[in-house]
Amino acid sequence: GSSSEGRGVRRRTMGNMWGKQIPLKDLIRESKRMVNKAVRELDRERKRMESEEKKLVADIKKMAAAGQMGAVKIQAKELVRTRNYITKFIQLRAHLNAVSLKIQTVKSHEAMASAMKSTTVAMTKMNQKFNLPGLQKIMMEFQRENEKAEMTMEVMGDTMDDVMTDADDEEEEEAIVSKVLDELGVGLNEAIPDAPQAAPAAAATEEKSAASEPVAADSAVSDLEARLNNLRRD
């Protein structure tokens, strides 16, 4: 173990002598290993001193019972010295724990920096693959084609409604309604109340609006067809 550690120290020393720089990750790992080793040695020495303290206390009691007061004073001095060393070892261990936390903080910062660097490289490559003007052109083309498709579907729907509507269907619908009302015992004139007599102007207005509705519908269809033709020319 000691020979391998010596060779490692010589390799690091020679590497530094020849101007070779130790990577930060390796330096952090080595520093943390050294701190952990020092903490283990301190714990081992503190346990040995605590065992020595217990032995001194037992010896002092035995010598005091035997009346050997001179030996008791000597052992008491040794006990005080041992307890002082135990306190110092505890303080040193606390300092080493603080150093270990600092090293762990540096390691976390190094890992975060590496992750940010890798993420930046990935984002740069991704942004290089995206052509913003080309993407905007694609979106504009998609919007234009989508409008064409919507207007085409609207024109087709209006055309299908016109084609599917037939006068025979309306007569058949009226016959079905009359049959249902007859079965219920209600006449068509009774089911639909008469309009008030005092509103001839309203009836004339309704007839005028009904006459103008096909013209308005034809105008709307013509407008949709004009917009569709403009988009096709674009």
Side-chain angles (χ1 to χ4, degrees):
S2 60
S3 60
S4 61
E5 290 177 2
R7 285 195 299 272
V9 172
R10 285 197 297 274
R11 281 197 300 270
R12 290 194 298 273
T13 305
M14 291 178 63
N16 291 331
M17 286 176 59
W18 290 105
K20 294 181 180 179
Q21 187 177 4
I22 301 176
L24 179 59
K25 187 180 295 185
D26 295 340
L27 184 62
I28 292 173
R29 184 169 58 248
E30 182 68 16
S31 299
K32 190 170 180 62
R33 189 184 67 81
M34 292 175 63
V35 170
N36 291 336
K37 181 181 178 183
V39 169
R40 288 195 300 270
E41 291 178 353
L42 279 176
D43 288 341
R44 188 162 51 246
E45 188 65 21
R46 181 175 57 83
K47 289 180 181 179
R48 188 185 69 80
M49 298 295 286
E50 288 174 350
S51 299
E52 185 68 20
E53 178 189 10
K54 293 178 181 179
K55 183 175 179 300
L56 285 172
V57 171
D59 291 342
I60 288 171
K61 290 180 180 180
K62 185 186 297 184
M63 290 177 183
Q68 300 177 1
M69 300 309 298
V72 168
K73 291 180 180 180
I74 295 172
Q75 293 292 79
K77 290 180 180 180
E78 185 68 19
L79 178 61
V80 172
R81 190 180 301 113
T82 300
R83 287 177 175 175
N84 289 335
Y85 276 113
I86 291 173
T87 303
K88 289 180 180 180
F89 287 155
I90 293 173
Q91 291 175 348
L92 285 173
R93 193 183 193 283
H95 293 324
L96 287 173
N97 283 335
V99 172
S100 179
L101 289 175
K102 291 289 185 182
I103 294 173
Q104 185 63 37
T105 302
V106 173
K107 183 179 180 181
S108 299
H109 288 170
E110 192 271 338
M112 182 178 65
S114 299
M116 291 179 65
K117 182 178 179 181
S118 301
T119 304
T120 302
V121 172
M123 291 178 66
T124 302
K125 291 181 179 180
M126 182 186 68
N127 290 331
Q128 288 175 353
K129 290 184 177 181
F130 280 103
N131 184 6
L132 186 57
L135 184 62
Q136 290 177 343
K137 183 179 179 182
I138 292 172
M139 294 301 295
M140 291 177 64
E141 291 178 354
F142 174 79
Q143 184 177 2
R144 184 168 61 249
E145 295 299 326
N146 187 39
E147 289 181 358
K148 285 183 182 179
E150 289 180 355
M151 285 189 290
T152 302
M153 294 298 294
E154 190 172 352
V155 171
M156 289 178 63
D158 293 339
T159 305
M160 292 298 292
D161 290 339
D162 294 338
V163 171
M164 294 300 178
T165 303
D166 194 355
D168 295 338
D169 294 339
E170 293 180 359
E171 294 177 359
E172 186 176 356
E173 291 172 2
E174 291 178 359
I176 293 173
V177 173
S178 299
K179 182 178 180 181
V180 172
L181 293 176
D182 291 339
E183 292 177 355
L184 294 174
V186 180
L188 185 60
N189 294 328
E190 295 177 0
I192 303 175
D194 294 334
Q197 297 295 327
T205 304
E206 289 179 0
E207 291 178 358
K208 186 183 294 183
S209 62
S212 62
E213 282 181 359
V215 178
D218 293 339
S219 176
V221 173
S222 300
D223 182 57
L224 287 174
E225 291 178 348
R227 289 170 58 193
L228 182 59
N229 292 329
N230 289 332
L231 287 175
R232 287 173 177 171
R233 285 198 295 271
D234 292 342

